[in-house]
């Protein structure tokens, strides 16, 4: 995290405390966007521990890091035996088809000139990729610096814990809190996650 990001975030005294507690956190593009999308799909609605275990078995079944060809070639029953639901297997195969055969290049280079909302629209056209997964892709696959994924329960609970002593906030109130972090809301989000998970 460079000085200009830290300076912007530290204008919010609460965020300044989180930076001091958790140290520098990075937002960087993934080396493999498709593999990152697979991780998000596997992780949907799972605890961190369950997701990690199932993801490990998923990669084992593929015989290496996820590629569209590997996901489309692997036996579906083997993926279900690895702990993936039939629905998630279908979602992973849809994503693989979109990456391999789709009209739009879904890599960072292919999406470089698209707005965040345009990227979300492209991704949510893929069966099984909802708003949450698309926002995770913006942050963790594309390395976009100004994303506030309020569809993520941990982000909402984390903001409530850090900014409102755990009491409920509306999404509008959360967006207002996040305004102080612009244009680096992805970094603010990472600090909220770090605090929520600590």
């Amino acid at each position: 995290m460079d000085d200009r990001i830290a300076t912007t975030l530290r204008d919010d005294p609460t965020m300044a405390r989180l930076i001091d507690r958790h140290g520098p956190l990075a937002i960087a593009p993934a080396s493999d966007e498709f593999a990152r999308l697979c991780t998000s799909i596997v992780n949907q609605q799972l605890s961190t521990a369950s997701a990690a275990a199932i993801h490990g078995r998923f990669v084992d079944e593929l015989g290496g890091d996820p590629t569209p060809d590997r996901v489309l070639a692997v036996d579906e029953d083997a993926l279900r035996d690895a702990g993936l639901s039939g629905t998630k297997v279908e979602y992973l195969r849809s994503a693989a088809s979109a990456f391999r055969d789709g009209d739009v290049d879904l890599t960072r280079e292919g999406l470089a000139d698209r707005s965040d909302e345009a990227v979300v629209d492209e991704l949510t056209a893929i069966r099984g990729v909802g708003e949450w997964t698309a926002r995770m892709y913006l942050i963790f696959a594309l390395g976009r610096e100004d994303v506030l994924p309020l569809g993520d329960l941990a982000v909402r609970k984390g903001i409530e814990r850090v900014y409102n002593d755990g009491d409920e906030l509306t999404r509008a109130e959360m967006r207002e809190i996040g305004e102080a972090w612009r244009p680096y809301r992805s970094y603010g989000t990472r600090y909220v996650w770090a605090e929520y998970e600590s």
Side-chain angles (χ1 to χ4, degrees), residues 59-96:
V59 171
D60 288 346
E61 287 301 332
L62 294 179
D65 290 336
T67 65
D69 287 338
R70 283 179 176 158
V71 170
L72 291 169
V74 71
D75 181 67
E76 291 183 30
D77 289 334
L79 292 181
R80 281 195 286 277
D81 290 344
L84 291 163
S85 67
T87 306
K88 281 195 183 172
V89 172
E90 185 183 331
Y91 293 170
L92 289 162
R93 292 173 65 80
S94 294

Side-chain angles (χ1 to χ4, degrees), residues 176-190:
E176 194 172 318
I177 289 166
E179 281 301 305
W181 314 336
R182 270 188 193 275
Y184 306 113
R185 290 179 300 170
S186 300
Y187 288 88
T189 296
R190 288 234 35 215

Side-chain angles (χ1 to χ4, degrees), residues 125-193:
I126 301 168
R127 180 163 164 66
V129 177
E131 182 89 12
W132 177 84
T133 304
R135 301 250 172 233
M136 295 303 105
Y137 191 83
L138 286 170
I139 297 171
F140 294 109
L142 303 183
R144 300 269 177 112
E145 295 185 327
D146 194 33
V147 180
L148 182 63
L150 293 179
D152 186 86
L153 181 64
V155 171
R156 294 196 309 275
K157 293 292 185 194
I159 290 173
E160 289 170 345
R161 181 190 295 172
V162 172
Y163 286 88
N164 206 37
D165 292 325
D167 292 336
E168 199 169 307
L169 291 166
T170 66
R171 290 199 188 200
E173 289 168 324
M174 293 180 197
R175 274 191 287 277
E176 194 172 318
I177 289 166
E179 281 301 305
W181 314 336
R182 270 188 193 275
Y184 306 113
R185 290 179 300 170
S186 300
Y187 288 88
T189 296
R190 288 234 35 215
Y191 281 101
V192 167
W193 267 321

